[in-house]
Amino acid sequence: MFEKLFRKKSIAKILHDAETGYGDHGSSLHKTLGVRDLTAFGIAAIIGAGIFSTIGKASADGGPAVIFLFIFTALACSFAAFAYAEFASMVPVSGSAYTYSYVAFGELVAWIIGWSLIMEYAIGNITVAISWSDYFTGLLSSINIPALGINGIHLPDWMTMDYLTAYSGHEQATALLKAGKSFANLDDVTRISNNAWMTAPQIGGFHFVADLPALGIIIFITALVYRGMKESKNASNAMVVVKLAVILLVLAVGVFYVDTRNWNPFAPNGVSGVLRGVSAVFFAYIGFDAISTTAEECKNPQKDLPRGMMWAIIICTLLYVAIALVLTGIVNYKLLAVGDPLAFVFDQIDLKLMSGIIAVSAVFAMASVLLVFQMGQPRIWMSMSRDGLLPKAFSKIHPKYHTPSFATIVVGFVVAVPSLFMNLTIVTDLCSIGTLFAFVLVCAGVLVLQDKPNINRKFKIPYVNAKYVVPPAFLIFILFAFTANRPVAKSFVLNQPRIQDPVSFVTSLSNSELTAVERQIRNDEQGNGFVEKNIDKEAYLNKLTPVEYKSFVDRATVDREKKYEHGWSLFKHKIPMWIFFMICVSISYFCIKKNLSLIPVLGLISCLYMMCELGISNWMGFGIWLVIGLVVYFLYGFKHSKLGLSA
């Protein structure tokens, strides 16, 4: 039984199946892609939400030094890209990390990675569709045609938002209003979410809140992908040209408005501030692995795939760094925590035309990302179906369009329905953790196969012995943590209590506790001319220095559980990082024992670190998804596996 779970596919068998057209699974895919097309697909996937949205929040956290985060993330993805490229040169077929894991680790691990890739692409598509909807509705509201009496097209809030965001926004607004905040002083997201909940049509008490523009773009993109690779390629290339032109225009105009004084201090919040944006910035890069799913449609996959991946990452990193420097140079980094940072900075310098151009290009940019993601998912399902792990229908090729037709339609439904109701933050983090897991296994797979003879590789990762780099670097890190960074390391190891932030503290209080906090504020401000009748407690506490805030909370007559996070509730968030440290110890040992190759080891470590930054709740969600996948595998895949039936 154990041996059957880890039965492996041989590279020779995979290549033979590809040459013979996979028997009864229909005609083959069209080979139409070259290096330029692959690079364009990579840019289409990478230049999207990152440069038009998440770069703002990351810049607000890290200041101008956020460029180092983009460089670090690009390096981590490049290490993984090297591993993908080596596998693609060995196994030039669709399937991406799923197929690679089947060769390196066996069927069960391949299923797990395939199942996580289903989550990566499906949830990634949901994320992008929601983001596209935000840009599109913003663009509609900015349309101004006085001659036609049009001053913005405003869709109802309940029609442009997911159910979970509206509900949580309503709950947050209710708690803050109870704590003394006025409705006008609520942040925009909370106010709009609350309005969507309050104005939504109700059916038997159920609030109908759904993101309808997201549904519309998914239907359009699914139809385009269904029609064929040639149409998808042409659409992708056109959208890439548009958004690259706009980004270069932003750089060309913005550089003349840069004030270098805004770059001082360069790293205002230190390393922790820069690393705070890891998950948001990483999400901007995950699209490059979608290139590997198109291997069967490449003219020369063994040479073109590695080049396409590398060129896409290099070009996009240069653009990200340049845009980050321009944004933080035009305005102070503190102002950039907005959803549309590019349009925002040009509003600040009264260049309204540029803001409009950026808004239009953002709609194209997000659509191109969705196109690449929606194209990759059916090809993963097709590969799993060919192996018998999913029903045969998923590998059916359309006789006219030469696309995985049934899988494409199912993907459309799988993405469209959740996009109406799911929360953007939840799906972004789940997508990132699924992708990073795939990257980790691909890097590990290269290490497993590094010494295997008789494997034809047209691309091989340059070899550097990791034992001379990784173990010494790990020891230096430990020494640094317990000397120069001793307070932080001590707090982590001893699980010292951590004070709640003002919003979490205030919104957790009962009416009697809120009254006690208000009385304490009045006592503290006695003699300072403090005459407010309704005190906005959250705003007041946010104005205090960290020392003042801690003193206030310690004196408050409030249950300790609401003041501090401690014990298990605090330790559980550290579990991923403890796992990371233990794996680092194991990797250091195997680097010495097995003389492992440095680049895939660095890819494994850096991607695993970013996984650990995503938090325990995302690990739990990912774990639940994998358990569901294992149930599906043992109920269907294990019994119908072609590798098992042929044994």
Side-chain angles (χ1 to χ4, degrees), residues 116-272:
S116 70
L117 284 172
I118 289 174
M119 184 176 74
E120 172 197 341
Y121 285 105
I123 292 185
N125 291 348
I126 295 167
T127 305
V128 177
I130 294 171
S131 297
W132 183 92
S133 173
D134 291 341
Y135 285 112
F136 181 70
T137 53
L139 180 61
L140 288 180
S141 65
S142 67
I143 294 175
N144 186 14
I145 310 176
L148 299 178
I150 299 176
N151 186 20
I153 300 173
H154 301 281
L155 299 178
D157 290 333
W158 59 267
M159 193 184 291
T160 63
M161 185 176 298
D162 63 274
Y163 182 91
L164 293 176
T165 296
Y167 175 74
S168 61
H170 172 67
E171 294 291 303
Q172 180 90 329
T174 301
L176 290 174
L177 292 172
K178 188 173 71 172
K181 186 178 286 293
S182 67
F183 187 81
N185 287 332
L186 291 173
D187 64 90
D188 290 342
V189 173
T190 302
R191 186 172 64 253
I192 294 171
S193 301
N194 180 67
N195 184 61
W197 181 263
M198 298 299 293
T199 59
Q202 295 186 41
I203 305 173
F206 175 81
H207 292 247
F208 183 80
V209 183
D211 198 336
L212 297 184
L215 175 65
I217 188 61
I218 290 169
I219 293 173
F220 173 76
I221 293 294
T222 300
L224 184 62
V225 172
Y226 183 88
R227 288 277 299 178
M229 177 57 73
K230 184 177 179 181
E231 290 76 7
S232 301
K233 177 187 74 173
N234 293 338
S236 173
N237 289 349
M239 287 186 277
V240 166
V241 169
V242 169
K243 63 183 174 183
L244 285 182
V246 171
I247 290 169
L248 293 175
L249 178 63
V250 167
L251 294 174
V253 175
V255 72
F256 292 103
Y257 292 87
V258 168
D259 183 351
T260 55
R261 289 176 295 182
N262 286 324
W263 291 340
N264 186 22
F266 199 73
N269 298 317
V271 175
S272 62

Side-chain angles (χ1 to χ4, degrees), residues 219-345:
I219 293 173
F220 173 76
I221 293 294
T222 300
L224 184 62
V225 172
Y226 183 88
R227 288 277 299 178
M229 177 57 73
K230 184 177 179 181
E231 290 76 7
S232 301
K233 177 187 74 173
N234 293 338
S236 173
N237 289 349
M239 287 186 277
V240 166
V241 169
V242 169
K243 63 183 174 183
L244 285 182
V246 171
I247 290 169
L248 293 175
L249 178 63
V250 167
L251 294 174
V253 175
V255 72
F256 292 103
Y257 292 87
V258 168
D259 183 351
T260 55
R261 289 176 295 182
N262 286 324
W263 291 340
N264 186 22
F266 199 73
N269 298 317
V271 175
S272 62
V274 173
L275 292 177
R276 209 173 294 155
V278 161
S279 62
V281 170
F282 172 74
F283 183 75
Y285 278 95
I286 64 174
F288 85 84
D289 72 318
I291 300 173
S292 65
T293 68
T294 65
E296 286 179 42
E297 288 140 299
C298 295
K299 297 173 184 176
N300 188 357
Q302 294 175 310
K303 290 184 178 180
D304 292 350
L305 278 172
R307 293 173 184 172
M309 289 181 186
M310 293 304 172
W311 275 118
I313 291 175
I314 291 169
I315 292 170
C316 293
T317 301
L318 292 174
L319 291 174
Y320 277 133
V321 169
I323 286 288
L325 288 173
V326 168
L327 290 183
T328 54
I330 294 177
V331 301
N332 186 279
Y333 72 93
K334 295 178 182 178
L335 303 176
L336 289 171
V338 294
D340 54 347
L342 268 67
F344 171 78
V345 295

Side-chain angles (χ1 to χ4, degrees), residues 73-87 100 282 288-289 309-310 313 435-436 438-444 446 459 461 599-604 606-607 610:
T73 307
L75 284 173
C77 289
S78 295
F79 295 145
F82 270 111
Y84 268 91
E86 181 165 325
F87 262 121
Y100 307 156
F282 172 74
F288 85 84
D289 72 318
M309 289 181 186
M310 293 304 172
I313 291 175
T435 307
L436 285 165
F439 287 7
V440 166
L441 283 185
V442 170
C443 292
V446 169
F459 172 82
I461 298 173
I599 289 178
V601 167
L602 292 178
L604 193 159
S606 56
C607 291
M610 287 191 285

